[in-house]
């Protein structure tokens, strides 16, 4: 696969067609694992983005001290303050995808719980988004995710530099896309989504580059919105693999390439939502402003395609 941008019509195959015959959960059940006393907004952004894009149920699995705060943000989220316990694992059996790391903090005991959660999700073959503080866990123990194809890691430039150092990948005198490809090859399975002015997405074989125009504000929380969008598309990808709906599109998505396509779609939508928020709010743009534009960004990119090419329900 060469460097290119997937067609919107191809990405749209991952989006479940809405139908009066659907039931709760048919459009995805997801969870954001993260959130401590200091960082309560991050998992809220992850889970709320997934809901705004159209997943049916979103859990937040957080530290006890964060639970009441996050519950107060939104009645739409199911908040389980079980991050330090083994109650996480039975919940994973209900899910189609999970995001790990947003608002995690640096507590060693929490990190150990997250290690167990990542392994439990992997054992269940769940799609996993790994972001923020969970990337440090991968840097310490790459084996926890290496060789697993159903995962997307979303480092920003400093996080990517630390990950490359941990993997023994030199970053000097090479374009970012080449370095990312080498790092993904070292991991041997997961997709890397390296955030930047142009987002680089690679599984070690092919490369997608998302150069969608974004807003000029770099407020904290936009990476969590990206994780939530990736989470939604990965959950839909699981339903797509199960044949939950039939696509009339000629260009099918290979199952092994679903994480690449999910990551690209998430980058495109997050950047476009950022652009829309900045157009409206300017310097006052916050991540809540971007979150409020996520559904509009989705409609701008996909509404006409979904109307023109409707997959046939089973």
């Amino acid at each position: 696969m060469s460097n290119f941008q997937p067609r919107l019509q191809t990405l749209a195959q991952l989006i479940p067609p809405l139908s009066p015959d659907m039931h709760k959960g048919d459009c995805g059940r997801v969870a954001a694992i993260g959130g401590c006393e200091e960082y309560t907004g991050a998992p809220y952004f992850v889970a709320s983005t997934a809901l705004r894009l159209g997943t049916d149920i979103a859990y937040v699995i957080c530290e006890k001290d964060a639970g009441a705060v996050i519950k107060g943000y939104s009645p739409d989220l199911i908040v389980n303050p079980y991050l330090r316990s083994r109650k996480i694992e039975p919940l994973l059996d209900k899910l189609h995808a999970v995001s790990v790391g947003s608002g995690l903090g640096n507590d060693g005991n929490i990190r150990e719980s997250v290690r167990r959660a990542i392994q439990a999700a992997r054992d269940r073959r769940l799609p996993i988004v790994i972001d923020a503080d969970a990337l440090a866990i991968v840097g310490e123990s790459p084996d926890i995710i290496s060789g697993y194809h159903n995962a997307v890691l979303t480092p920003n430039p400093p996080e990517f530099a630390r990950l490359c150092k941990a993997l023994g990948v030199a970053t000097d005198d090479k374009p970012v896309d080449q370095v990312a490809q080498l790092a993904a090859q070292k991991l041997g399975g997961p997709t890397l989504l390296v955030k930047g002015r142009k987002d680089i997405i690679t599984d070690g074989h092919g490369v997608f580059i998302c150069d969608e125009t974004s807003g000029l504000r770099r407020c904290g929380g936009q990476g969590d919105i990206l994780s939530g969008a990736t989470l939604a598309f990965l959950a839909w990808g699981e339903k797509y693999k199960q044949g939950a709906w039939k696509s009339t599109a000629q260009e099918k998505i290979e199952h092994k390439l679903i994480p690449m396509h999910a990551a690209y779609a998430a980058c495109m939508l997050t950047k476009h939502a950022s652009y829309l928020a900045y157009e409206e709010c300017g310097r006052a743009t916050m991540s809540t402003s971007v979150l409020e534009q996520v559904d509009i960004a989705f409609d701008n990119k996909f509404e006409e395609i979904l109307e023109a090419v409707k997959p046939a329900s089973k």
Side-chain angles (χ1 to χ4, degrees):
M1 188 197 310
S2 58
N3 299 3
F4 75 106
Q5 298 172 339
R7 298 169 65 242
L8 288 176
Q9 289 84 350
T10 302
L11 298 173
Q13 293 179 70
L14 296 176
I15 301 170
L18 299 181
S19 161
D21 297 323
M22 299 182 90
H23 302 285
K24 182 172 64 178
D26 285 350
C27 286
R29 297 182 296 274
V30 301
I33 299 177
C36 62
E37 184 178 16
E38 186 175 1
Y39 301 113
T40 56
Y44 162 77
F45 284 127
V46 175
S48 294
T49 298
L51 284 180
R52 280 179 176 263
L53 287 177
T55 60
D56 288 333
I57 299 173
Y59 296 86
V60 172
I61 303 171
C62 61
E63 190 180 18
K64 184 177 180 180
D65 290 340
V69 178
I70 297 171
K71 286 180 181 181
Y73 291 155
S74 171
D76 294 306
L77 305 179
I78 302 173
V79 180
N80 293 321
Y82 304 146
L83 190 51
R84 292 181 185 268
S85 76
R86 292 185 177 273
K87 293 181 180 180
I88 295 176
E89 295 182 23
L91 178 58
L92 297 178
D93 293 326
K94 302 178 181 180
L95 303 177
H96 297 110
V98 62
S99 172
V100 184
S102 296
L104 201 59
N106 295 311
D107 185 290
N109 291 329
I110 291 180
R111 285 196 175 198
E112 187 54 40
S113 296
V114 169
R115 288 175 194 271
R116 291 197 301 267
I118 292 173
Q119 186 59 56
R122 183 171 178 172
D123 291 344
R124 290 161 174 78
R125 304 188 65 79
L126 278 176
I128 310 170
V129 183
I130 295 183
D131 186 28
D133 297 310
L135 291 166
I137 296 174
V138 174
E140 294 166 2
S141 307
D143 288 349
I144 199 169
I145 206 66
S146 61
Y148 188 57
H149 291 267
N150 215 2
V152 177
L153 281 62
T154 63
N156 60 28
E159 291 165 341
F160 180 58
R162 290 192 291 269
L163 181 62
C164 286
K165 183 177 181 180
L167 295 172
V169 174
T171 58
D172 298 334
D173 303 322
K174 291 189 185 72
V176 176
D177 59 327
Q178 292 182 20
V179 176
Q181 202 164 4
L182 290 170
Q185 289 169 4
K186 280 273 191 176
L187 288 169
T191 291
L192 277 180
L193 190 175
V194 182
K195 296 178 281 195
R197 182 173 182 177
K198 294 183 179 181
D199 294 331
I200 310 297
I201 301 137
T202 178
D203 59 359
H205 303 288
V207 177
F208 291 161
I209 297 177
C210 180
D211 59 359
E212 180 78 24
T213 301
S214 67
L216 298 181
R217 288 279 283 122
R218 296 294 180 263
C219 42
Q222 291 183 79
D224 303 308
I225 291 171
L226 174 61
S227 290
T230 307
L231 180 64
F233 274 89
L234 285 175
W236 294 338
E238 288 301 288
K239 304 291 287 185
Y240 176 82
K241 286 192 285 189
Q242 295 166 9
W245 57 88
K246 292 182 179 179
S247 173
T248 58
Q250 294 182 350
E251 185 182 345
K252 307 297 183 185
I253 301 175
E254 292 183 60
H255 290 180
K256 67 179 181 180
L257 296 180
I258 285 175
M260 286 265 293
H261 286 77
Y264 182 89
C267 289
M268 177 186 65
L269 289 177
T270 303
K271 284 179 175 292
H272 187 49
S274 167
Y275 171 80
L276 295 173
Y278 185 76
E279 286 291 292
E280 182 175 312
C281 302
R283 288 181 179 271
T285 300
M286 299 179 292
S287 287
T288 49
S289 316
V290 179
L291 180 63
E292 290 170 358
Q293 298 292 337
V294 163
D295 50 322
I296 299 171
F298 179 89
D299 287 345
N300 286 352
K301 296 296 183 181
F302 289 114
E303 187 174 32
E304 288 187 13
I305 294 170
L306 294 176
E307 286 297 317
V309 185
K310 288 186 176 180
S313 298
K314 259 190 147 184

